[in-house]
């Protein structure tokens, strides 16, 4: 696969936790899909998993070259897991349109996290 675009992002778990505690369920449902919440909520290291998904969404938007503007919704980027545990990217809405316009192929994602930070790297091949 030839690399067409790359994006990386890092999230402070404590800071995200403060936002979640301050804004509650409304924030979570605006940013994460139900499948993402089902995966993260209740895990032993719940905030690390949420931060990893958040960083992954940001990294994907860097691949797309958009940021959070132009009709892009947080839930247009969904981070799911293969049965093996490997994360995968599912695009919808405006993000899917942008990827098609830019002729981007599959977007691969890697997520790592520790108690304090989560990081994600996204790489897209050309279609």
């Amino acid at each position: 696969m030839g690399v067409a675009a790359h994006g990386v992002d890092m999230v402070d778990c404590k800071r995200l936790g403060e936002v979640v505690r301050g804004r509650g369920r409304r924030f979570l449902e605006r940013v994460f899909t139900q499948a993402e919440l089902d995966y993260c909520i209740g895990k032993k290291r719940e905030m690390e998993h949420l931060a990893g998904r958040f960083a992954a969404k940001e990294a994907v938007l860097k691949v797309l070259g958009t940021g959070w503007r132009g009709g892009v919704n947080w839930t247009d980027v969904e981070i799911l897991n293969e049965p093996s545990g490997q994360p995968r990217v599912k695009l919808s809405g405006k993000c899917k349109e942008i990827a098609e316009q830019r002729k981007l192929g599959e977007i691969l994602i890697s997520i790592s996290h520790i108690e304090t930070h989560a990081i994600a790297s996204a790489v897209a091949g050309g279609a």
Side-chain angles (χ1 to χ4, degrees):
M1 166 176 89
V3 175
H6 177 251
V8 65
D9 194 72
M10 184 167 59
V11 173
D12 181 319
C13 295
K14 182 179 176 184
R15 184 166 180 256
L16 181 63
E18 290 168 357
V19 172
V20 169
R21 282 187 291 283
R23 297 185 185 168
R25 191 76 186 178
R26 182 172 173 224
F27 171 80
L28 290 173
E29 290 173 351
R30 187 171 65 90
V31 174
F32 300 101
T33 66
Q34 190 58 53
E36 291 169 324
L37 292 173
D38 289 346
Y39 176 78
C40 296
I41 301 299
K43 285 205 175 280
K44 182 177 179 182
R45 296 172 6 203
E46 179 178 289
M47 196 51 58
E48 290 176 39
H49 288 280
L50 288 168
R53 294 295 192 267
F54 192 95
K57 289 171 179 269
E58 290 275 8
V60 169
L61 289 182
K62 290 175 181 176
V63 164
L64 297 176
T66 62
W68 298 111
R69 62 180 182 270
V72 170
N73 294 311
W74 287 100
T75 54
D76 287 350
V77 177
E78 185 174 33
I79 309 302
L80 303 169
N81 285 81
E82 297 294 342
S84 66
Q86 179 182 7
R88 68 177 171 87
V89 176
K90 179 182 176 188
L91 299 179
S92 61
K94 188 69 172 174
C95 287
K96 186 174 181 179
E97 289 176 28
I98 293 165
E100 289 169 354
Q101 289 169 358
R102 293 196 59 206
K103 297 184 179 9
L104 297 176
E106 181 181 14
I107 299 175
L108 303 176
I109 193 85
S110 181
I111 305 169
S112 291
H113 50 79
I114 59 172
E115 183 179 348
T116 59
H117 291 84
I119 189 167
S121 176
V123 177

